[in-house]
């Protein structure tokens, strides 16, 4: 529950009474002067009073969606995660893969100042500074800023300390938005995105207005309002009652409810979210690889997909990015083997081991998955207790606490995932404590290799190592579902983290 958004209780009571009949502003959830009839209202879960509009520290989907409205990145990702132009109109490496020449399109910030090469260099330097705490820091930590520089207002050269022929994926990563040089205060941020700032209440509502001079044309809605609704069933109720036009992150069990209601529809992107449990391999008991292998062998992934995802998902194989470029399809599916799991526990003298499995409502599948995994691991002799934590702080909590917790990752380029989640330097997003010189070496060699086939082989080797040692148990891939009012057009099903995802500037209220 939060103070500025809509709680489950308020929405459910509203659907039965007066709340359902009044506009959202009447509920005290809308901020900003003058609500327009052409205001698009979108519902997301938030992180409560810890929120900010600093695009470089964004970690949640609501952060990224707000950043996409206010700011722009140099590149974006197409549906298949290949880089596509945004503020950059061209990019090319030299023969070594260390020098990247980037040409900017003509674009302006909300204060009418042009977006320049110096703004890009300032933004990247800030992201790469560990003091900023950006989740994109690992991807820009290899930039040599002393050697990098602007050739002109619209052209720059970025020099890397080591070769990286996959560097364009870093330029399209979430949390790499371009801000005006010198910006340190994001209380009333100035960006170059399709909407500009009007108001923001931490843990509550954010209101933005149309930026008519955006380089890609003026947005269709006059205004855009982000509404905080943490519980998934409350987001569905808010959508069906007409309080919001868009509800983010709808679980499989609610899809049928929306599908059977003429007031809304589901936009689904199949198998685009990795569902996993992160076992911390830097501490007992999972620093013993025999215990880790026992839980990997003891989990029934097919049952999880069938029961938890209601058969609307795909089987996981302890690897990220099924179907994407560099995914090693040749690795055999990991099957459940109860006898092998029990034997490993006996060998490790870990029979009867107890541990907590952290979970929360941050994802609609986490809690049912935790219950089923606890039952399955009980059958190999482990005592697993699901522990439900607050959704607002869940991801930061599990990074610091406990030995096991549910996690998920939406679609990203596989090199981005490996860099952000599994490298030793990925401090802010490494949920398992995996630190492997062998993995890091294979990854570094792969991205420095110009030959595409050789790079693919090296990345497959790196993923084989991570699969057996990183502690990331990937049990499935869920569909990514959002609910959209039947009154809204212009929005399409889009892979999360792609350029098309949360493209609210193209929404049309009818």
């Amino acid at each position: 529950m939060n103070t500025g958004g809509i709680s489950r209780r308020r929405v459910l009571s509203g659907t039965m009474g007066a709340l359902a009949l009044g506009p959202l502003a009447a509920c005290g959830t809308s901020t900003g002067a003058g609500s327009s009839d052409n205001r698009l209202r979108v519902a997301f879960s938030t992180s409560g009073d810890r929120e900010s509009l600093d695009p470089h520290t964004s970690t949640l989907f609501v952060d990224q969606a707000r950043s996409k409205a206010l700011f722009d990145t140099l590149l974006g990702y197409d549906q298949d995660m290949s880089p596509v132009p945004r503020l950059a109109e061209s990019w090319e490496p030299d023969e070594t893969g260390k020098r990247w020449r980037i040409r900017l399109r003509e674009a302006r910030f909300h204060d009418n100042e042009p977006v320049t090469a110096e703004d890009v260099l300032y933004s990247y330097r800030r992201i790469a500074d560990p003091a900023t705490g950006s989740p994109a820091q690992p991807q820009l930590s290899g930039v040599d800023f002393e050697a990098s520089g602007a050739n002109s207002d619209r052209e720059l050269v970025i020099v890397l300390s080591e070769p990286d022929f996959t560097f364009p994926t870093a330029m399209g990563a979430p949390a790499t938005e371009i801000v005006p040089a010198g910006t340190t205060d994001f209380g009333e941020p100035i960006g170059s995105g399709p909407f500009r700032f009007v108001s923001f209440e931490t843990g509550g509502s954010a209101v933005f207005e149309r930026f008519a001079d955006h380089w890609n044309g003026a947005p269709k809605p006059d205004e855009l309002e982000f509404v905080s609704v943490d519980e998934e069933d409350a987001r569905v109720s808010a959508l069906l009652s007409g309080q919001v036009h868009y509800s983010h992150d709808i679980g499989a069990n609610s899809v049928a409810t929306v599908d059977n209601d003429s007031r809304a529809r589901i936009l689904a992107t199949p198998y685009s979210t990795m569902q996993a449990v992160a076992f911390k391999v830097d501490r007992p008991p999972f620093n013993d690889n025999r215990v880790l292998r026992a839980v990997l062998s003891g989990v029934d992934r097919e049952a999880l997909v069938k029961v938890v995802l209601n058969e609307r998902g795909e089987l996981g194989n302890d690897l990220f990015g099924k179907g994407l470029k560099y995914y090693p399809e040749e690795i055999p599916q990991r099957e459940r083997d109860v006898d092998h799991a029990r034997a490993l526990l006996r060998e490790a003298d870990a029979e009867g081991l107890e541990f907590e499995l952290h979970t929360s409502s941050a994802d609609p599948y986490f809690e049912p998955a935790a219950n089923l995994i606890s039952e399955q691991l009980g059958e190999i002799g482990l005592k697993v207790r699901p522990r439900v934590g607050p959704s607002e702080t869940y991801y930061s909590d599990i990074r610091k606490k406990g030995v096991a917790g549910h996690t998920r990752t939406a679609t990203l380029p596989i090199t981005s995932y490996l860099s952000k989640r599994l490298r030793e330097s990925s401090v802010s997003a490494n949920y398992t404590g995996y630190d492997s010189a062998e993995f890091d070496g294979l990854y570094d060699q792969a991205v420095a290799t110009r030959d595409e086939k050789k790079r693919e082989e090296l990345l497959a080797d790196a993923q084989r190592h991570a699969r057996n040692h990183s502690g990331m148990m990937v049990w499935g891939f869920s569909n990514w579902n959002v609910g959209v009012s039947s009154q809204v057009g212009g929005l399409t099903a889009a892979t999360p983290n792609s350029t098309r995802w949360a493209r609210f500037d193209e929404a049309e209220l009818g």
Side-chain angles (χ1 to χ4, degrees):
M1 182 176 294
N2 60 72
T3 56
I6 304 176
S7 71
R8 177 177 181 275
R9 182 177 58 80
R10 288 176 64 192
V11 171
L12 292 180
S13 63
T15 58
M16 296 183 288
L19 184 60
L21 303 177
L24 191 64
C27 306
T29 57
S30 186
T31 62
S35 177
S36 164
D37 290 339
N38 192 21
R39 172 183 285 193
L40 183 74
R41 293 185 172 93
V42 297
F44 283 77
S45 61
T46 68
S47 57
D49 59 7
R50 299 169 62 251
E51 292 185 308
S52 87
L53 295 180
D54 182 345
H56 298 158
T57 61
S58 65
T59 55
L60 301 181
F61 280 110
V62 65
D63 301 323
Q64 294 171 19
R66 289 187 299 227
S67 292
K68 180 174 284 189
L70 291 172
F71 303 93
D72 254 316
T73 49
L74 288 190
L75 305 180
Y77 298 143
D78 209 344
Q79 296 285 67
D80 64 356
M81 295 290 106
S82 58
V84 294
R86 294 295 294 172
L87 286 174
E89 61 182 14
S90 67
W91 59 95
E92 58 181 348
D94 68 359
E95 290 186 354
T96 70
K98 294 180 69 174
R99 296 177 65 86
W100 287 82
R101 188 165 65 89
I102 299 159
R103 177 76 178 170
L104 304 179
R105 71 171 71 248
E106 189 171 344
R108 291 192 172 274
F109 288 111
H110 301 152
D111 61 359
N112 204 36
E113 292 295 322
V115 177
T116 69
E118 291 297 340
D119 298 315
V120 175
L121 290 167
Y122 171 81
S123 300
Y124 278 16
R125 188 179 291 109
R126 183 173 186 269
I127 295 163
D129 183 351
T132 302
S134 175
Q137 191 273 340
Q139 294 170 284
L140 296 182
S141 61
V143 176
D144 181 346
F145 288 102
E146 293 300 318
S148 302
N151 290 342
S152 68
D153 280 353
R154 291 180 54 194
E155 185 176 296
L156 68 152
V157 173
I158 290 180
V159 179
L160 307 179
S161 55
E162 300 294 337
D164 185 354
F165 286 96
T166 69
F167 185 65
T169 60
M171 294 191 282
T176 59
E177 283 78 5
I178 306 306
V179 303
T183 301
T184 57
D185 183 353
F186 291 90
E188 297 184 5
I190 292 174
S192 63
F195 294 92
R196 56 187 172 191
F197 176 84
V198 173
S199 65
F200 172 56
E201 176 188 358
T202 55
S205 173
V207 177
F208 307 147
E209 65 181 5
R210 177 205 308 254
F211 177 46
D213 295 328
H214 186 247
W215 61 266
N216 199 31
K220 291 173 180 171
D222 291 333
E223 296 175 316
L224 171 63
E225 179 176 3
F226 286 85
V227 181
S228 170
V229 190
D230 288 337
E231 297 93 344
E232 183 245 1
D233 56 352
R235 288 195 297 278
V236 172
S237 296
L239 175 70
L240 297 181
S241 66
Q243 296 181 79
V244 300
H245 302 104
Y246 173 102
S247 284
H248 193 249
D249 202 1
I250 304 298
N253 290 330
S254 297
V255 166
T257 302
V258 178
D259 276 343
N260 291 326
D261 196 308
S262 62
R263 294 171 294 182
R265 66 189 187 280
I266 290 290
L267 301 179
T269 310
Y271 320 139
S272 53
T273 304
M274 177 191 81
Q275 296 288 340
V277 176
F279 295 98
K280 288 187 169 65
V281 293
D282 61 346
R283 66 196 66 175
F286 301 111
N287 60 350
D288 185 331
N289 190 254
R290 295 169 297 184
V291 180
L292 176 64
R293 283 185 286 142
V295 296
L296 295 179
S297 295
V299 170
D300 186 343
R301 294 163 182 77
E302 288 189 22
L304 283 160
V305 171
K306 182 177 181 180
V307 174
V308 177
L309 301 186
N310 201 19
E311 298 186 331
R312 296 173 185 259
E314 183 80 4
L315 199 62
N317 193 23
D318 301 338
L319 293 162
F320 174 79
K322 196 165 192 173
L324 295 178
K325 184 179 181 180
Y326 301 132
Y327 183 86
E329 297 279 1
E330 69 278 11
I331 295 179
Q333 174 65 43
R334 181 165 272 147
E335 306 286 350
R336 191 184 197 206
D337 188 335
V338 170
D339 292 338
H340 181 57
R342 286 174 174 162
L344 286 167
L345 291 177
R346 280 196 300 274
E347 184 181 329
D349 195 23
E351 292 172 291
L353 177 74
E354 300 182 22
F355 66 89
E356 290 183 335
L357 176 56
H358 287 251
T359 185
S360 95
S361 62
D363 181 283
Y365 305 119
F366 284 178
E367 291 184 57
N371 292 330
L372 187 50
I373 288 173
S374 299
E375 293 177 15
Q376 292 174 354
L377 294 183
E379 294 169 7
I380 67 169
L382 296 176
K383 298 177 181 176
V384 183
R385 297 185 303 279
R387 177 171 179 168
V388 181
S391 61
E392 297 90 340
T393 59
Y394 176 71
Y395 292 102
S396 59
D397 289 345
I398 64 167
R399 200 170 59 242
K400 303 169 189 171
K401 302 175 182 176
V403 298
H406 281 270
T407 187
R408 69 176 184 180
T409 300
T411 308
L412 286 170
I414 282 182
T415 51
S416 293
Y417 172 81
L418 298 178
S419 172
K420 290 181 66 172
R421 296 297 176 91
L422 299 181
R423 281 174 61 81
E424 181 275 337
S425 58
S426 306
V427 176
S428 65
N430 185 339
Y431 287 95
T432 68
Y434 178 52
D435 178 1
S436 166
E438 182 175 347
F439 172 86
D440 287 359
L442 287 165
Y443 177 86
D444 290 342
Q445 191 179 349
V447 299
T449 300
R450 193 181 189 106
D451 181 85
E452 186 72 31
K453 181 65 178 173
K454 182 62 177 173
R455 186 188 310 149
E456 183 176 346
E457 292 172 358
L458 289 164
L459 286 172
D461 289 343
Q463 290 174 88
R464 281 191 188 89
H465 189 277
R467 181 172 179 263
N468 295 324
H469 298 276
S470 73
M472 193 63 77
M473 191 275 287
V474 182
W475 60 265
F477 292 87
S478 57
N479 294 354
W480 190 261
N481 306 308
V482 301
V484 179
S485 166
S486 57
Q487 299 177 358
V488 175
L491 296 176
T492 58
T495 305
N497 290 321
S498 71
T499 297
R500 300 295 310 168
W501 172 79
R503 196 79 267 161
F504 298 130
D505 47 313
E506 298 179 359
E508 295 180 90
L509 279 72

